Structures are given as structure tokens and as C-alpha cells.
Amino acid sequence: MAKRRLSIEEDVCHAWFSNKPPSEDMAWLEIIRKKRSYPDCAKFSREFSFPGVRVIGGSMITPVTFVSHWELSTNYQDNLTVFFQDESSNIRIEKGMNGDGNSFIMEATYDSLYDTIIVHKTDTCLAMLLNFRFIPKIYEYKGKAKTRAIIKKKRSYPDSAKFKVRSNPKISENTGNAKTTIRATAKHYDFEDVGCLNTLYLEFDTSRHRYSDLKILLSHLTCLGFHVAYAILHKTSFQTQRTFLPQTDSFELAYAWKCVQSLGFKVTDHLSEEVKEYLQGFLKDETTLTAQILYNLALRLTEKPFFFFKAEFDLVIRRTQETDLADKPPPSYCMVPRIVLTPTKLLYLPKEPVLQNRILRQYGEEFFIKVVFRDDDFNKISTIQSYALESLLNSMKTHFKDGFKIHDRHYEFLGCSNSQLREHSFWFFHPHDNITAIHIRKSSGELSSETCVATYVSRFGLCFSTTRKTVDVEEKCVEYREDVSNDKYCFTDGVGCISPHLAKRASLLHYFVCCLQCKHFNQITSALFFLFRNIYGVKNSWTLFFLSIFV
């Protein structure tokens, strides 16, 4: 019965492609079946492996057009094996160790794929096109490590444990060859621009790989929730690097276009001379919504594996102009650009609202940018095996040491708060008007006595703690006093006092910012956490303080 169903599918595909009008070159076919109609071998978890697969990286500029940028299998196709592993939900492309010292693994999870898999079938091969949300990770083999396992004699165990040993094994050694892998970058291989990758083209030779196994694999992927679409594929080769540098003095527009272009080949492969002229004309007629249109375009294209660029652009322009809604941050927030730095690329994200801190209020948010370090799948980089991340981290450290450039600005490392450090997030700053990152650090507090790097970062990080502005305290109202202490205790190290008048002013402003709809503006907060000149603590109202003493 299963063979009969497969035969029906073959007949449907053949009939549909045979009768498809030539003008319908963008058409594709998806056969939808109930899961119970698939054979059992396609429903349950298993591992598929296919040696000698042709692997090409690039992008799709239409639902049926693939642009090739580099080919892994040019030099060593016979050594490439593609695995589909259900147990770990991974797709794994492995180039085995054969003595040439150029062995690697590309690995991606099923979750990193868009849910549509394009299939192109000919008489000699079957091609699968996998469109990625996240870039595959790259590993390299680091030789062979010998392992030795020793099992103790029974008499060497304590008496309480002897009854659990069912046999009396002798000392034995098991020396094996365990492959060790470490994270790697793409600069040593044939795919340096892997960070721009959007699509992998996998070509299976039907004379080498059984077509029945490939059909079971496609059925299995369908059972996992993927949509398998059959199409007549057009494949073109990458000719020249296509990029667009907007001729504008506006940093906002230049950054907004970076958000679009950093999405990878699926955008840059659309940048023909005609499209570039169209973009330049759009940027010349700059309005208050121009940057917002580009931000909206970046967000829209992020969710699509392929598209018609000009049609999407026109649609975003029309919708943005109809809504005419500029992103205005809530009170005590400001709009700050954010960059995600991965081992393979820099991804520019639209500006996002960020709760202000002391530094942003003092210097303004215009020249600040937030940089987040992430792995290629946008998870935090794990340091459990730090030795395996050496080459990966070294390539990312250059941004700390040298900074980076966007348009006409050069950003340098500034600092981070303690919570941001845990999240691998950092602030960078563009020097201007004799204000540099060093100047900000020196003027933010007396930290010259801190010789420990961790302590210095923690102390300076207080300046980036998110706070809401409440009350400005004049210089004449500030008085520094020594702590009340003896040889054993410090009696003023704890909750301090604040006058009822100042507590009321701070409470009113805090409630007004946080709860604009709140009607209880006369309430006074019982305690306030404050940050003043890099000094932080908790203050209690005098009235409540004395009340707690007498009670």
C-alpha cells in the first residue's frame, strides 16, 4: 500500500510538471497527506547519512531561483557526508579526516531552518534546498585523543559496595581513538563569507544514493512539520560582490540600511544596478519616515527565506506611510541601536527602547550603541569547554581592542553593567567633541585605586544600572559624613534616612513615570533605592524610620 501511495505521488508530480504552462515558471507543487498515511519507517526517529553529497552555499532570490556563492564539494566531495540526526535534531555536514589536515563539521539544528524545503528532481539527481534562519556552526577536528579506562578489582571497593558488583572484572585497558572537536571560524576553509549564507543546496546523485531512501527522508521531514515543495529550479552563479553604500550624510539612514543589508545574500543578491538607482532615489527624498521604512523592511525580510525585493520595499513604504507611526520611546526610555556580534557576522538591528541610565542621561544616547555577543544560533556562547573556543573568541576580541566603524563613526569599547556582563552585552561609544570612552570612565567616579579588573568593571558598571530620573540635588545640599562605627561594627552601613519632603518629591516623580494612569499620587514610597554620583543604597523616610524605632 505504501508503494502504491509513492507511485501515486510520482504520477501526480510527473503529470503536474508535464502540463505546467511555461509562463508559470514560479509555480511549485506540495502534496499534503495525513501523517498516518506515511510508512512507519518515516514516522519514527532515525538517522539518515548520505556520503559524497554535493554542498553549495548561497541564497534564493525567488521561490525557484538559487544563486551559488561557494561550493564545499569542489575539492573533496567524496569526503563529505550529510547526516540528518533526529536524536539531536541536527543536520550535520562532515568532512572526514583523511590525512590532508582539512577536516571540519558544519552543524545546524532543525529549529534554525525555515519550514519550507524546496526539492528539485531530475533523471540523475535530487536537490534539496534548506533555507536557514541562523547560520550553521563550524567545528574542526583537533587530532585524535587517546583514552584509557581502568576498571578496579572487586576487592578494591569498600565492603558496602561489593554486593552491587555482579562479576569480578579484571584490570583492563581500552585505548581508543576519540575525535575531539573545537569551534572554528571559516577563514581557513573555502567559505569565508559563511556569515552571509541563507541557503544550502544539497545535491544527491541517484546513481549513488538510493532514491527510496531519499523519499523516506522527505516523508520523515514532512512528519516533523516541514513543508516539502517540488519545483523546477533555476541555478545561477555569483558573479560580482553586490553591496550598496548610500550616499548620505545621515548616520541614521546609513545605519538603517545596514540593518537591511546585514541579512545576508538573500538581500545583496537583489542589488542590481536598477535596484541601486531606485534605492538612491528613495534616500534622496528623505523624510522623517525614511529611516523607519528601512527598519520596517529589515524586520519584514528577516521572517522570509526568499522574496521579491522591490515588491517588498514598495509594500513597506506604503504601509509605513499609511500608519505614519514613528517609534517614540516611553518616558525614561531612549532609542538605542543594537548590534549582534556572532563568530561569523555582524547583524545590525533596528533601534530599540532602552531604560535610561546615568551615562545616557549625562551624555545623550546619540553616540552610544549596544553590542551583544552571541553564538551563530543567537544563544549565549557557552564557556564550559573554554579551550574549544579559543579561535572563536580571538576573532571576536578584536572588536574590544580595535572597535568598529559604521558610516563615518568609529565606536570604541566603553563598559557594561553587572547584569549586562552576565548577558554578554556591552556599551560602545563614538568619541566626539573631545569626549572619549576614557574621558567618560574617568569622570564617572574615583576609580583610580581599583587595580583589580573585575572590581573596576563592577564599580564602573553601576553607572549603567537602569534608573529613572527623579530629583536633581544641588551641590550645596550635598554633605559627606564619616560612618558611625567602632572596632567591630559599622552602624551606618545599611538603610539610611531621607527627609519626608524629598521622599515625597521622589515618590511622586517615580509614580508619574511608572504609572501614568495611577490616581494615588499622594502616596509616599516606604523605601527608595537610589543611585547618586556612583553611590547607591536604600533610603527610608524619617517618619517611618522613627515609627519603626518606637514600635
Side-chain angles (χ1 to χ4, degrees):
M1 188 66 180
K3 293 182 178 179
R4 178 58 184 163
R5 291 194 186 100
L6 292 176
S7 176
I8 293 175
E9 287 191 10
E10 293 292 330
D11 293 342
V12 170
C13 287
H14 178 74
W16 190 82
F17 283 109
S18 299
N19 295 281
K20 182 175 69 67
S23 58
E24 298 292 336
D25 58 342
M26 295 291 176
W28 50 267
L29 171 68
E30 179 184 1
I31 299 176
I32 302 175
R33 293 166 48 182
K34 293 183 178 180
K35 186 175 179 179
R36 65 173 180 267
S37 67
Y38 288 101
D40 293 338
C41 57
K43 296 178 184 178
F44 303 113
S45 298
R46 58 175 295 184
E47 178 177 302
F48 298 86
S49 64
F50 300 93
V53 178
R54 189 181 181 193
V55 180
I56 305 175
S59 71
M60 297 191 69
I61 56 175
T62 73
V64 295
T65 306
F66 173 74
V67 180
S68 169
H69 282 259
W70 42 258
E71 183 171 348
L72 290 181
S73 49
T74 302
N75 300 324
Y76 34 74
Q77 177 175 347
D78 290 338
N79 297 322
L80 282 179
T81 303
V82 177
F83 298 90
F84 291 82
Q85 301 171 322
D86 275 2
E87 186 175 347
S88 55
S89 298
N90 280 343
I91 298 173
R92 184 185 181 101
I93 301 172
E94 181 175 336
K95 193 263 180 180
M97 301 182 68
N98 62 350
D100 60 3
N102 192 14
S103 303
F104 63 85
I105 297 171
M106 291 183 67
E107 188 175 84
T109 63
Y110 289 161
D111 291 337
S112 67
L113 294 174
Y114 287 95
D115 59 1
T116 299
I117 298 175
I118 309 297
V119 176
H120 172 66
K121 183 181 179 299
T122 66
D123 294 335
T124 59
C125 68
L126 183 143
M128 293 174 54
L129 283 88
L130 309 177
N131 296 289
F132 288 90
R133 300 177 187 270
F134 314 129
I135 307 302
K137 295 180 181 180
I138 303 173
Y139 300 83
E140 66 174 328
Y141 286 122
K142 197 67 174 178
K144 297 180 180 180
K146 292 185 178 181
T147 59
R148 183 182 182 188
I150 298 179
I151 304 177
K152 295 182 179 180
K153 289 185 178 181
K154 182 178 178 181
R155 64 173 177 268
S156 65
Y157 288 96
D159 293 337
S160 59
K162 285 182 180 178
F163 73 95
K164 298 180 182 179
V165 181
R166 297 183 179 180
S167 61
N168 185 15
K170 299 179 180 180
I171 297 179
S172 62
E173 295 184 7
N174 181 19
T175 303
N177 292 325
K179 300 176 182 178
T180 60
T181 57
I182 64 173
R183 289 298 302 276
T185 59
K187 63 181 180 180
H188 298 117
Y189 303 106
D190 300 331
F191 40 97
E192 293 187 14
D193 50 2
V194 68
C196 300
L197 171 74
N198 298 114
T199 305
L200 273 183
Y201 174 99
L202 307 179
E203 184 176 288
F204 304 87
D205 189 346
T206 51
S207 64
R208 183 172 185 174
H209 308 106
R210 291 191 303 178
Y211 182 67
S212 58
D213 291 342
L214 295 172
K215 289 293 295 182
I216 293 174
L217 170 62
L218 294 175
S219 298
H220 181 66
L221 293 174
T222 303
C223 292
L224 292 177
F226 290 98
H227 300 279
V228 176
Y230 295 86
I232 298 178
L233 187 68
H234 306 283
K235 193 171 69 164
T236 63
S237 298
F238 163 77
Q239 300 296 330
T240 58
Q241 183 67 38
R242 292 183 175 182
T243 57
F244 174 66
L245 299 176
Q247 300 175 6
T248 176
D249 296 329
S250 171
F251 173 81
E252 177 85 4
L253 290 184
Y255 178 82
W257 172 248
K258 283 271 192 183
C259 295
V260 179
Q261 190 165 259
S262 66
L263 295 178
F265 292 144
K266 68 179 181 180
V267 171
T268 57
D269 286 341
H270 284 276
L271 299 180
S272 62
E273 294 301 322
E274 179 184 356
V275 173
K276 290 180 181 179
E277 291 179 5
Y278 179 79
L279 286 170
Q280 195 58 51
F282 166 76
L283 295 176
K284 282 184 179 179
D285 301 330
E286 182 180 350
T287 66
T288 55
L289 292 177
T290 302
Q292 188 60 46
I293 289 173
L294 293 177
Y295 289 142
N296 292 344
L297 178 64
L299 293 174
R300 182 173 176 83
L301 298 186
T302 300
E303 299 301 321
K304 292 178 175 287
F306 40 77
F307 42 79
F308 296 98
F309 182 82
K310 194 172 180 300
E312 294 289 341
F313 199 7
D314 291 338
L315 178 62
V316 170
I317 291 175
R318 185 170 65 253
R319 288 184 176 179
T320 306
Q321 291 174 343
E322 288 174 355
T323 55
D324 194 20
L325 294 176
D327 282 345
K328 295 181 180 180
S332 295
Y333 283 78
C334 59
M335 302 298 292
V336 175
R338 185 164 65 107
I339 291 178
V340 178
L341 174 62
T342 73
T344 56
K345 68 186 298 184
L346 266 175
L347 181 63
Y348 298 82
L349 300 180
K351 287 187 174 182
E352 63 176 5
V354 174
L355 187 59
Q356 291 179 342
N357 53 56
R358 171 190 165 187
I359 299 295
L360 292 179
R361 277 194 293 268
Q362 183 174 351
Y363 297 98
E365 70 274 10
E366 181 181 356
F367 298 99
F368 290 86
I369 195 167
K370 204 172 182 181
V371 178
V372 183
F373 284 71
R374 286 291 183 269
D375 210 335
D376 287 314
D377 57 2
F378 291 90
N379 290 321
K380 287 198 298 183
I381 296 177
S382 174
T383 57
I384 296 176
Q385 293 179 316
S386 58
Y387 69 89
L389 302 173
E390 183 176 355
S391 62
L392 189 127
L393 295 178
N394 285 337
S395 65
M396 302 173 77
K397 286 178 183 177
T398 56
H399 289 80
F400 279 108
K401 297 187 296 184
D402 305 330
F404 54 89
K405 186 176 182 180
I406 303 178
H407 193 49
D408 57 350
R409 297 181 182 181
H410 183 271
Y411 286 88
E412 57 187 22
F413 173 71
L414 178 60
C416 62
S417 67
N418 291 328
S419 60
Q420 288 171 344
L421 182 61
R422 289 191 294 270
E423 293 299 320
H424 302 174
S425 177
F426 307 90
W427 286 103
F428 281 68
F429 177 74
H430 168 61
H432 66 282
D433 300 331
N434 296 324
I435 303 175
T436 64
I438 296 177
H439 168 79
I440 294 176
R441 284 194 287 265
K442 287 184 177 180
S443 60
S444 297
E446 179 52 49
L447 301 173
S448 58
S449 60
E450 298 293 349
T451 57
C452 176
V453 175
T455 305
Y456 181 91
V457 172
S458 179
R459 295 288 184 266
F460 179 60
L462 293 174
C463 300
F464 296 103
S465 297
T466 54
T467 54
R468 290 182 172 88
K469 183 179 179 181
T470 54
V471 179
D472 290 324
V473 181
E474 298 181 5
E475 186 71 27
K476 63 181 181 180
C477 298
V478 179
E479 180 180 352
Y480 293 93
R481 295 181 179 180
E482 295 292 333
D483 284 329
V484 179
S485 61
N486 59 18
D487 295 338
K488 294 183 62 176
Y489 301 105
C490 177
F491 299 99
T492 52
D493 184 12
V495 179
C497 301
I498 185 173
S499 66
H501 174 70
L502 188 57
K504 184 176 182 179
R505 288 180 59 194
S507 300
L508 291 177
L509 289 171
H510 177 72
Y511 273 114
F512 181 74
V513 171
C514 298
C515 312
L516 293 177
Q517 305 299 324
C518 182
K519 299 180 181 179
H520 305 289
F521 282 162
N522 294 324
Q523 294 183 354
I524 300 178
T525 306
S526 59
L528 291 170
F529 178 85
F530 75 96
L531 183 63
F532 175 72
R533 286 190 174 181
N534 220 27
I535 302 171
Y536 67 97
V538 179
K539 291 294 183 182
N540 197 354
S541 174
W542 281 348
T543 306
L544 297 173
F545 178 72
F546 287 119
L547 180 62
S548 62
I549 291 178
F550 290 110
V551 172

